[in-house]
């Protein structure tokens, strides 16, 4: 089940639903935001890049 944490809920309510919680850039069709295991919305590419700290954290 997908979930978001309370900080991400606050971000969503502040109009930041499509802004990556990791890097601050917008999600795009090529690199959309996905929920990670900590409950944040982040670029999918962060979770598939072995050099990135979020590697492997996609929900
Ligand atoms: Zn990002």
């Amino acid at each position: 089940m997908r979930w978001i944490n309370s900080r991400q809920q606050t971000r969503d309510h502040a109009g930041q639903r499509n802004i990556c919680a990791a890097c601050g850039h917008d999600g795009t069709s090529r690199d959309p935001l996905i929920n990670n295991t900590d409950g944040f919305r982040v670029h999918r590419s962060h979770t598939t890049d072995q050099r990135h700290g979020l590697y492997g954290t996609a929900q």
Side-chain angles (χ1 to χ4, degrees):
M1 184 181 106
R2 288 190 187 176
W3 66 286
I4 59 172
N5 66 34
S6 61
R7 284 175 59 197
Q8 183 63 63
Q9 284 180 18
T10 300
R11 292 172 55 85
D12 287 0
H13 294 158
Q16 298 180 321
R17 185 183 177 88
N18 196 43
I19 297 177
C20 175
C23 71
H25 294 291
D26 289 353
T28 65
S29 56
R30 284 187 61 185
D31 193 5
L33 303 188
I34 56 103
N35 296 19
N36 80 353
T37 50
D38 290 326
F40 284 107
R41 301 187 198 281
V42 298
H43 285 115
R44 185 170 58 198
S45 63
H46 299 321
T47 69
T48 57
D49 179 355
Q50 295 187 17
R51 297 164 300 179
H52 197 283
L54 294 175
Y55 176 69
T57 66
Q59 283 190 37

